[in-house]
Amino acid sequence: MRVLVTGGAGFIGGAVCRHLAARGDDVVVLDSLAAHKHTPDYLPDSAELIVGDLADEDAVRRAVEGVDAVCHQAARVGLGVDFDDVSAYVADNDGGTANLLRALWRRSFAGRLVVASSMVVYGEGRYRCPAHGDVRAAPRTAADLDAGRFDPRCPACAAALAWAPVTEDAPLDPRNVYAATKVHTEHLSTLYGRESGATVCALRYHNVYGPHMPRDTPYAGVASIFRSALESGRAPRVFEDGAQTRDFVHVDDVARANLAALDSTWTGACNIASGEPHTIADMAAALTAGFPDAPAPVVTGDYRLGDVRHIVASPDLAADRLGFRAAIGFAEGMAAFAHAPLR
């Protein structure tokens, strides 16, 4: 199979390319290399690299020629610095996806399209009130966060809410610009499938970590930020009270999920998660254990208004429809990530 991987020189895209090449697929990479000083050495030698971004119509046209499947990973990621980033996110993620789909339309592509989405499309996760059952948590306010009231409360009775696993039929409720662009990526791709006959699957990644994560940028993931601090002899700074709950999934598992999706014809969206929830404080402690002389994590009480409190996925649909379950456990993965190469 000849597979185009957009953003194939990136953190997740690179892992997808390595797994595809290892099983003998022909890999085409479209990447601007803007985040790199040179071509990454972790890209497979057999991959065909087209240097350009999704705004480059000629590069996109060449990239889609003759491919049987497309794995769309290219995106501006992370929460961003502030709302001033809105134009860059919309141009790169909404506009980039539109340009890719237009190029596919012009060559009458009706093959397999797998797109990278994110847990952030859900906004806050799923919550249950002891009295009212499942409820939708309202966005947290600066006043509550300033007062250290980090957990959402029931909108009907103000009782403390307990989190529950989010399933793919949960309402979409993006609460930052990046999240909004991921929702739009899903919607545009689904519309393309309806118009073209292509089969489309969106993979909603949870907190991905592993080798070749970007380090020390405003868009880096929290695992990378903590790792960089520890390498510099500084304590990881844990926001809020550290009890935010997430699902940390290793990048090699995410790559395997992409291959499973490429091999399937099932259409829809799937959570891609480990099924093993942990708090941010758990993650900071697990990484710190890999640096015996490093200071202990510091819980700061700081917050970002666009962050959500708890978001934990149900991995069952991906197991049922794609045959995917994560294989790398939290302890094993974090121990290896403590000394894995970063970008």
Side-chain angles (χ1 to χ4, degrees):
M1 181 165 61
R2 183 171 174 83
V3 183
L4 167 63
V5 183
T6 70
F11 167 45
I12 296 174
V16 173
C17 290
R18 294 192 296 276
H19 281 253
L20 286 168
R23 73 175 193 179
D25 289 309
D26 292 330
V27 179
V28 180
V29 172
L30 176 64
D31 199 293
S32 69
L33 300 184
H36 306 270
K37 294 179 179 177
H38 48 72
T39 303
D41 59 9
Y42 54 75
L43 268 182
D45 292 338
S46 60
E48 176 187 346
L49 174 62
I50 297 174
V51 179
D53 63 26
L54 289 169
D56 183 337
E57 186 172 336
D58 180 64
V60 178
R61 178 189 57 78
R62 289 186 288 120
V64 302
E65 286 179 358
V67 298
D68 305 300
V70 177
C71 188
H72 178 32
Q73 304 294 319
R76 182 180 292 265
V77 299
L79 185 59
V81 177
D82 54 36
F83 199 82
D84 195 59
D85 285 335
V86 62
S87 296
Y89 273 93
V90 171
D92 289 351
N93 297 356
D94 296 353
T97 297
N99 292 338
L100 171 65
L101 297 176
R102 181 179 61 182
L104 292 172
W105 177 259
R106 288 176 173 177
R107 64 143 287 200
S108 301
F109 175 83
R112 184 61 162 164
L113 173 60
V114 176
V115 298
S117 187
S118 171
M119 66 178 190
V120 296
V121 300
Y122 298 119
E124 282 286 354
R126 182 180 175 193
Y127 290 93
R128 287 178 177 156
C129 170
H132 296 96
D134 279 8
V135 297
R136 296 290 298 161
R140 298 185 298 170
T141 67
D144 278 344
L145 295 169
D146 285 338
R149 294 187 293 268
F150 298 121
D151 281 304
R153 293 191 171 271
C154 176
C157 68
L161 298 174
W163 65 261
V166 177
T167 53
E168 289 81 355
D169 57 357
L172 302 186
D173 184 18
R175 299 192 178 185
N176 57 61
V177 170
Y178 170 65
T181 66
K182 285 283 119 178
V183 171
H184 203 202
T185 292
E186 287 196 24
H187 286 171
L188 288 173
S189 301
T190 299
L191 289 169
Y192 177 81
R194 290 175 183 168
E195 293 285 333
S196 68
T199 60
V200 179
C201 181
L203 303 181
R204 293 174 179 165
Y205 303 153
H206 285 249
N207 286 71
V208 186
Y209 71 98
H212 310 299
M213 283 188 81
R215 71 161 81 229
D216 300 334
T217 78
Y219 311 101
V222 65
S224 173
I225 292 169
F226 287 177
R227 235 293 295 273
S228 294
L230 289 163
E231 285 183 320
S232 301
R234 294 177 285 112
R237 293 178 58 81
V238 179
F239 279 15
E240 301 184 18
D241 59 358
Q244 311 94 301
T245 312
R246 298 289 189 269
D247 186 302
F248 298 96
V249 58
H250 195 276
V251 69
D252 283 332
D253 279 329
V254 172
R256 290 177 45 248
N258 274 273
L259 268 63
L262 287 165
D263 292 342
S264 171
T265 57
W266 182 78
T267 60
C270 279
N271 292 322
I272 301 302
S274 72
E276 188 182 349
H278 288 274
T279 67
I280 298 294
D282 290 340
M283 190 266 288
L287 283 180
T288 302
F291 294 84
D293 299 324
V298 175
V299 176
T300 68
D302 295 340
Y303 65 85
R304 298 188 299 183
L305 193 58
D307 281 344
V308 299
R309 179 63 172 173
H310 304 295
I311 177 91
V312 174
S314 167
D316 293 341
L317 187 65
D320 180 57
R321 301 294 182 170
L322 304 180
F324 167 75
R325 284 213 181 264
I328 300 173
F330 178 80
E332 172 194 359
M334 286 294 169
F337 178 62
H339 300 286
L342 297 183
R343 191 178 77 209

